[in-house]
Amino acid sequence: MPNKLIKSRTAMNATCAACPSRHLCLPSKFMDKSQIATLDRIIQKMMIVHKNDHLYYSHETTKTIYAVYKGSCKEYWIDGNGNECVTNFYFPGDLVGLESVSDNKHMLSVVGLEYSELCVIPLDDLCKLMQESEAILKRFINITGYKMRNDRSVKMGVTAEERICDFLLNIIYRMLERNISLDNIPLFMSQLDISNYLGISHETVNRMFKNLQRLQVLKIENKKMTVIDLAALEKLGRLDYSLDKDQKKQSFIAS
Amino acid sequence: MPNKLIKSRTAMNATCAACPSRHLCLPSKFMDKSQIATLDRIIQKMMIVHKNDHLYYSHETTKTIYAVYKGSCKEYWIDGNGNECVTNFYFPGDLVGLESVSDNKHMLSVVGLEYSELCVIPLDDLCKLMQESEAILKRFINITGYKMRNDRSVKMGVTAEERICDFLLNIIYRMLERNISLDNIPLFMSQLDISNYLGISHETVNRMFKNLQRLQVLKIENKKMTVIDLAALEKLGRLDYSLDKDQKKQSFIAS
DNA sequence: CGGGCGTTTGAACGTGCTCAAGAGGAGTGG
DNA sequence: CCACTCCTCTTGAGCACGTTCAAACGCCCG
């Protein structure tokens, strides 16, 4: 049975101030404690989804967005031929549901890849808050801009190898932002999910993974990835994250 | 020589109130004349670019975004191998530069595909305005959400035919939003631009165009496209714009 | 008028898809 | 606790789509 569940954040002892991913989410380094407390005031509920439970389905109406507090989710839609098109993966600190705000109706579905907790952010309350606090408004704008960059960057590659490498680099850098070690990065999505995300057959995804292991670039074992040669991976991909990744990341995280 | 030029909007007799694309831009149907006037107060300048002139280059610092008032632009970056990766095409009413706000630095370059006029929107002033006016704040959030949807939807296809069709459908629906007839839609980008946008060789783009003409789906002549059989094109693409396109569009435009 | 860019077409090659089949693992129900 | 099913991962073989390379043409612009 579906296990979608709403709890109060206070009951779960979850606050923005104590959130390990706050540096990627609505709080920013420039906010003082009272500003962050205003976020806690409007974000009162937490949505719990277990693995394979849906956070929401396409076509549902909505006036909220979500922030991943713990876990990870897959965003997708079903095309006219019944194929699942994966549009995004979300990790702690990511805002979920931004695409739906323009007409208060989801056009994508979101499902948990593992046990996950998501902060429920009422859009109207957030708007009011952004009008009161310049810091929160600017932060929100920065987050949406950063998301546009990030979303765009992944599927630029032409060959399957480029696309796989860019995808993995994207995951890796998002893990770095979250201070997660590059040893044994957990990949909660299946290879089929990745293939539906990249528009590549799942057999090719598998073969590319094998190939990258044969090249001693990384190791994937038991759905956990260990990066061996990041520079080699960057060379195989199409994006130059290496250019000024630290600056880029820091400037956003600090903003 | 580059012909980037800044003029005053009043000198060009350009106002938000009289803009033909205002229904896609910051003004919304819910704003009264005084609210729209506040937009005109902060948007005082117009940037003029001729064909092949750059609006801005990657790595330039910025504290402004732009709105296409007239014309069209191409957004791109150059990858490690020197290949041009086209990331977007912008038409009247579109906001340009949103990806850059998170660290005040462009990571993409934008160049005019034709003679174009773009309203210069200082970000700080816009933020202040959004704090004063809930309508403008909500409108901005809706636009960013709508852009995320739109950007995502285009490159989902797996086969070259699907990608070409989805691209053309995207152009077509954006033209419809702008009340432009489906006869002789001008395509200011080259087939090479389209190939760099879709990650497909330009020869394949050409062959697909020819094929769609052979199938009596559309006609392309002299960089102008006439749609003959929209339903057939939708069937060849991967996205179902037809599902509730009118509702979707109306709900955003009206928001 | 010449040069360069964009478009068009053909031919051969190669990447990645499709189809097929089996192994391993997780979850479910008896 | 085991048997069963379904899902995921894996590997192979053949094929098709799309790329690459090449060449020619038209067109715009200097």
Side-chain angles (χ1 to χ4, degrees), chain B residues 47-213:
Chain B
M47 186 80 81
I48 313 284
V49 291
H50 290 85
K51 184 175 178 176
N52 296 327
D53 287 342
H54 274 75
L55 180 64
Y56 53 76
Y57 286 93
S58 176
H59 297 299
E60 285 179 15
T61 56
T62 177
K63 295 208 163 199
T64 60
I65 61 175
Y66 302 87
V68 181
Y69 183 77
K70 184 181 173 180
S72 51
C73 297
K74 173 178 77 171
E75 184 186 67
Y76 72 94
W77 57 286
I78 306 292
D79 74 7
N81 302 320
N83 300 313
E84 182 176 298
C85 304
V86 177
T87 50
N88 233 327
F89 299 105
Y90 292 109
F91 301 116
D94 286 332
L95 293 184
V96 182
L98 289 171
E99 280 99 338
S100 307
V101 299
S102 65
D103 61 357
N104 297 324
K105 196 171 148 192
H106 290 295
M107 72 174 326
L108 303 168
S109 302
V110 172
V111 63
L113 291 170
E114 58 183 311
Y115 169 84
S116 303
E117 299 168 0
L118 296 103
C119 304
V120 180
I121 308 174
L123 205 54
D124 282 336
D125 293 338
L126 181 61
C127 278
K128 272 183 211 132
L129 209 53
M130 287 194 281
Q131 294 199 262
E132 292 163 15
S133 161
E134 189 193 0
I136 293 176
L137 171 64
K138 292 209 162 175
R139 181 61 176 174
F140 182 82
I141 294 175
N142 283 352
I143 288 172
T144 56
Y146 191 68
K147 176 172 161 60
M148 287 181 197
R149 286 190 182 200
N150 192 64
D151 289 356
R152 166 174 330 292
S153 67
V154 188
K155 290 191 257 188
M156 294 302 306
V158 175
T159 67
E161 190 177 53
E162 278 175 347
R163 287 168 87 101
I164 290 281
C165 291
D166 285 343
F167 168 75
L168 292 176
L169 284 167
N170 182 263
I171 297 284
I172 288 166
Y173 286 111
R174 288 165 79 182
M175 292 302 123
L176 280 177
E177 285 175 342
R178 288 158 179 80
N179 302 311
I180 292 173
S181 149
L182 295 192
D183 292 340
N184 292 315
I185 300 175
L187 299 175
F188 285 99
M189 70 291 290
S190 70
Q191 292 182 11
L192 189 63
D193 288 335
I194 297 173
S195 75
N196 286 331
Y197 177 64
L198 294 176
I200 287 174
S201 75
H202 72 274
E203 294 94 331
T204 300
V205 171
N206 184 270
R207 280 185 254 261
M208 290 296 155
F209 277 7
K210 291 284 162 189
N211 198 37
L212 291 172
Q213 291 180 73

Side-chain angles (χ1 to χ4, degrees), chain A:
Chain A
M1 61 177 132
N3 263 323
K4 195 166 76 172
L5 192 65
I6 298 178
K7 289 192 183 177
S8 98
R9 276 176 120 216
T10 51
M12 298 187 66
N13 210 22
T15 62
C16 288
C19 175
S21 307
R22 45 172 283 192
H23 60 296
L24 298 167
C25 195
L26 287 172
S28 90
K29 284 195 175 172
F30 296 137
M31 293 184 198
D32 58 32
K33 283 182 181 170
S34 76
Q35 286 174 313
I36 293 178
T38 61
L39 284 170
D40 284 316
R41 210 178 55 225
I42 66 160
I43 308 173
Q44 297 179 336
K45 288 177 183 164
M46 189 82 95
M47 186 79 82
I48 314 284
V49 291
H50 289 83
K51 183 174 177 175
N52 296 328
D53 287 341
H54 274 75
L55 180 63
Y56 53 76
Y57 286 93
S58 176
H59 297 297
E60 285 179 15
T61 56
T62 176
K63 295 207 165 202
T64 59
I65 60 174
Y66 303 86
V68 181
Y69 183 77
K70 185 180 172 179
S72 52
C73 296
K74 172 179 77 171
E75 184 186 67
Y76 72 96
W77 58 284
I78 306 291
D79 73 9
N81 302 320
N83 299 314
E84 182 176 299
C85 303
V86 177
T87 50
N88 233 326
F89 299 106
Y90 291 109
F91 301 116
D94 285 332
L95 293 184
V96 181
L98 289 172
E99 279 98 340
S100 307
V101 299
S102 65
D103 61 356
N104 297 325
K105 196 171 149 193
H106 290 294
M107 73 174 325
L108 303 168
S109 302
V110 172
V111 63
L113 290 171
E114 58 183 311
Y115 169 84
S116 303
E117 300 168 359
L118 297 101
C119 304
V120 181
I121 308 175
L123 205 54
D124 281 337
D125 293 338
L126 180 60
C127 280
K128 271 182 211 131
L129 209 53
M130 286 194 281
Q131 295 200 264
E132 293 163 14
S133 161
E134 188 193 2
I136 293 176
L137 170 64
K138 292 207 161 177
R139 182 62 176 172
F140 182 81
I141 295 175
N142 283 353
I143 288 172
T144 56
Y146 192 67
K147 176 172 161 60
M148 287 180 195
R149 287 190 183 201
N150 192 65
D151 290 355
R152 167 175 328 293
S153 67
V154 187
K155 288 191 255 185
M156 293 302 306
V158 175
T159 67
E161 191 178 52
E162 277 175 347
R163 287 168 88 103
I164 290 280
C165 290
D166 285 343
F167 167 75
L168 292 176
L169 285 167
N170 183 263
I171 298 284
I172 288 166
Y173 287 111
R174 288 165 80 182
M175 293 301 123
L176 281 178
E177 285 175 342
R178 287 156 180 83
N179 301 313
I180 292 172
S181 149
L182 295 193
D183 291 340
N184 292 312
I185 300 175
L187 298 175
F188 286 98
M189 70 291 291
S190 69
Q191 292 182 10
L192 189 64
D193 289 334
I194 298 172
S195 76
N196 287 331
Y197 177 65
L198 295 176
I200 286 175
S201 76
H202 72 275
E203 295 95 330
T204 300
V205 171
N206 185 270
R207 279 186 253 263
M208 290 295 154
F209 277 7
K210 290 285 163 190
N211 198 37
L212 291 172
Q213 291 180 75
R214 205 168 41 71
L215 293 172
Q216 292 284 314
V217 173
L218 47 79
K219 198 167 52 119
I220 298 179
E221 217 166 54
N222 226 9
K223 299 199 108 187
K224 289 188 202 308
M225 169 171 65
T226 298
V227 179
I228 297 170
D229 190 345
L230 186 57
L233 192 61
E234 285 169 337
K235 218 162 187 172
L236 290 169
R238 176 165 258 232
L239 307 172
D240 318 283
Y241 287 94
S242 51
L243 267 184
D244 49 2
K245 83 191 177 207
D246 289 333
Q247 301 147 38
K248 262 192 290 184
K249 236 177 307 177
Q250 289 318 317
S251 57
F252 165 69
I253 291 174
S255 74

